[in-house]
């Protein structure tokens, strides 16, 4: 009996050794691919994982001159302050509303543009359109917001000049809180919609052309081919990108909203990113702003796990 047990242990060790050697052979065989991945891994290690150590200060009354090890521990005090703050629900609501605009209005637009570009048969025209819609992505939010300011300002703005010419009253788009959200989502679409088509167009090129030929032989028009062949073929890509987008539910980006934010629209424009900037850098509340960032990250993690679980429940491919 003892001999059998020892033999089983030795066999398990042999299996582990074989698996380990096979893994190393695979790494050596694909070493150039792993070298290409290495810069990305280093980037995430330095800028994403190592900074997590700083989350400790969200449980401290952090003082820069005392450092992390010398600062006093306060437990969940900063989180209690956040959740009981009178501004918390306003910021939470504003963030969710802007995120909802991105999901329900912006997210489908790159898919629609990709499907439309895929139907263009003249390559010169197709490439020209792609170039034009890619260009805004390479402009910073400062440029995008500045262009919008010049177009929408009351004093000499082209939009208000047209409204006045048509007999309408001028509209103060920049200071009217009713116009903040439409202006925000239109700027997102203008800058990012073209760039967002790249992944979908790449997925469409992988569709087997024989499927389209068979559909044409069955009498399917181009709209039917798009609906029954193209869309199902890129469905997995759409779901993966949607899951990743849901993970950014509280991560809308600081720069864009901060450039549009002013005292007149703050009640609809203040989000967690701008709130962290004001509390952390302008007011020096490092521990409190870190606690807010911790909350954002935790919510994003939960949303990614939930969205991935939901995709699996509907027999779709998730991100893991």
């Amino acid at each position: 009996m003892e001999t059998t047990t020892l033999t089983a242990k030795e066999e398990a060790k042999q299996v582990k050794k074989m698996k380990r050697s096979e893994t190393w052979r695979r790494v050596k065989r694909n070493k150039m691919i792993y070298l290409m991945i290495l810069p990305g891994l280093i980037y995430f290690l330095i800028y994403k994982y190592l900074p997590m150590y700083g989350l400790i200060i969200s449980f401290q009354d952090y003082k820069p001159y005392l450092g992390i090890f010398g600062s006093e521990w306060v437990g969940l005090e900063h989180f209690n302050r956040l959740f009981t703050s009178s501004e918390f629900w306003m910021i939470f609501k504003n963030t969710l509303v802007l995120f909802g605009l991105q999901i329900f209005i912006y997210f489908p637009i790159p898919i629609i543009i990709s499907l439309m570009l895929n139907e263009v048969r003249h390559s010169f025209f197709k490439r020209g359109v792609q170039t034009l819609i890619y260009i805004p992505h390479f402009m910073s939010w400062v440029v995008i917001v500045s262009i919008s300011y010049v177009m929408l300002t009351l004093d000499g703005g082209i939009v208000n000049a047209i409204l006045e010419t048509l007999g309408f009253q001028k509209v103060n788009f920049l200071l009217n809180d009713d116009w903040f959200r439409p202006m925000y989502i239109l700027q997102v679409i203008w800058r990012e919609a073209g760039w967002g088509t790249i992944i979908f167009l790449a997925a469409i090129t992988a569709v087997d052309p024989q499927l389209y030929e068979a559909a044409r032989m069955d009498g399917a028009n181009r709209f039917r081919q798009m609906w029954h062949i193209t869309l199902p073929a890129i469905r997995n890509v759409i779901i993966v990108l949607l899951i990743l987008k849901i993970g950014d539910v509280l991560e809308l980006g600081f720069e864009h909203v901060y450039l549009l934010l002013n005292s007149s629209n703050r009640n609809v424009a203040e989000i967690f990113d701008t709130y962290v900037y004001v509390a952390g850098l302008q007011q020096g509340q490092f521990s409190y702003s870190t606690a807010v960032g911790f909350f954002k990250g935790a919510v994003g993690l939960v949303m990614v796990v939930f969205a991935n679980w939901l995709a699996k429940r509907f027999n779709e491919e998730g991100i893991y």
Side-chain angles (χ1 to χ4, degrees):
M1 187 69 178
E2 186 177 352
T3 306
T4 306
T5 305
L6 290 174
T7 305
K9 288 181 178 180
E10 290 175 358
E11 288 180 357
K13 288 182 179 179
Q14 289 292 331
V15 170
K16 288 182 180 180
K17 187 176 180 181
M18 290 175 62
K19 287 182 177 179
R20 196 179 298 115
S21 61
E22 177 61 27
T23 301
W24 280 112
R25 278 197 296 269
R26 193 181 301 115
V27 170
K28 289 180 180 178
R29 187 166 58 248
N30 302 303
K31 59 183 177 182
M32 297 308 297
I33 296 176
Y34 286 101
L35 284 175
M36 292 173 63
I37 297 173
L38 188 61
L41 292 176
I42 295 173
Y43 166 80
F44 276 97
L45 178 64
I46 295 175
Y47 294 104
K48 299 296 182 180
Y49 287 98
L50 290 181
M52 287 184 183
Y53 176 73
L55 292 175
I56 294 174
I57 70 174
S58 62
F59 302 98
Q60 296 178 324
D61 182 15
Y62 177 72
K63 306 294 183 184
Y65 56 87
L66 294 176
I68 292 178
F69 296 104
S71 298
E72 179 186 356
W73 287 86
V74 295
L76 299 176
E77 179 181 320
H78 299 299
F79 294 94
N80 291 333
R81 176 188 168 191
L82 171 64
F83 298 138
T84 56
S85 171
S86 59
E87 295 182 326
F88 173 76
W89 291 110
M90 178 195 74
I91 298 169
F92 193 69
K93 175 188 173 184
N94 293 342
T95 306
L96 287 182
V97 169
L98 294 183
F99 173 74
L101 291 175
Q102 288 202 18
I103 287 293
F104 295 109
I105 297 180
Y106 161 72
F107 186 79
I109 288 179
I111 303 172
I112 296 171
I113 295 176
S114 301
L115 294 173
M116 294 171 64
L117 287 174
N118 185 58
E119 297 300 319
V120 176
R121 293 294 176 258
H122 298 284
S123 59
F124 177 78
F125 178 76
K126 181 178 180 179
R127 291 173 183 172
V129 171
Q130 285 179 280
T131 302
L132 289 175
I133 63 178
Y134 290 168
I135 289 175
H137 174 78
F138 298 99
M139 294 188 290
S140 70
W141 280 119
V142 175
V143 175
I144 297 293
V145 174
S146 299
I147 293 173
S148 301
Y149 177 84
V150 172
M151 295 176 63
L152 299 174
T153 184
L154 281 173
D155 187 16
I158 186 172
V159 175
N160 277 304
I162 294 172
L163 290 175
E164 192 175 23
T165 303
L166 296 175
F168 297 99
Q169 291 185 349
K170 291 184 177 181
V171 179
N172 196 343
F173 296 100
L174 301 174
L175 297 180
N176 191 332
D177 55 5
D178 292 332
W179 282 100
F180 169 78
R181 287 164 181 166
M183 188 165 52
Y184 168 84
I185 195 62
L186 287 174
Q187 289 174 357
V188 171
I189 293 170
W190 178 22
R191 185 176 188 263
E192 302 295 348
W195 188 256
T197 62
I198 292 177
I199 296 178
F200 297 113
L201 285 172
I204 290 173
T205 57
V207 181
D208 189 352
Q210 294 181 359
L211 296 175
Y212 294 107
E213 294 176 7
R216 282 194 294 268
M217 293 178 63
D218 290 337
N221 56 30
R222 293 176 70 171
F223 178 79
R224 289 283 185 180
Q225 294 173 36
M226 179 188 69
W227 186 261
H228 294 289
I229 298 176
T230 310
L231 269 177
I234 65 173
R235 183 174 59 189
N236 290 334
V237 176
I238 294 173
I239 290 172
V240 169
L241 292 179
L242 181 61
I243 292 173
L244 295 176
K245 188 70 177 175
I246 290 174
D248 291 333
V249 58
L250 301 183
E251 191 73 35
L252 298 176
F254 161 76
E255 185 180 7
H256 183 198
V257 178
Y258 185 74
L259 291 169
L260 294 174
L261 182 65
N262 55 60
S263 58
S264 299
N265 61 19
R266 182 178 179 275
N267 61 321
V268 296
E270 187 81 270
I271 61 173
F272 282 105
D273 294 302
T274 57
Y275 186 66
V276 167
Y277 172 76
V278 172
L281 295 181
Q282 292 187 353
Q283 299 177 1
Q285 303 178 63
F286 301 110
S287 293
Y288 179 63
S289 59
T290 303
V292 178
F294 199 152
F295 169 72
K296 285 172 46 187
V299 171
L301 175 62
V302 171
M303 291 301 296
V304 166
V305 173
F306 173 74
N308 190 77
W309 172 81
L310 198 61
K312 297 286 188 180
R313 290 278 294 181
F314 286 95
N315 297 320
E316 301 290 347
E317 291 186 14
I319 58 175
Y320 61 87

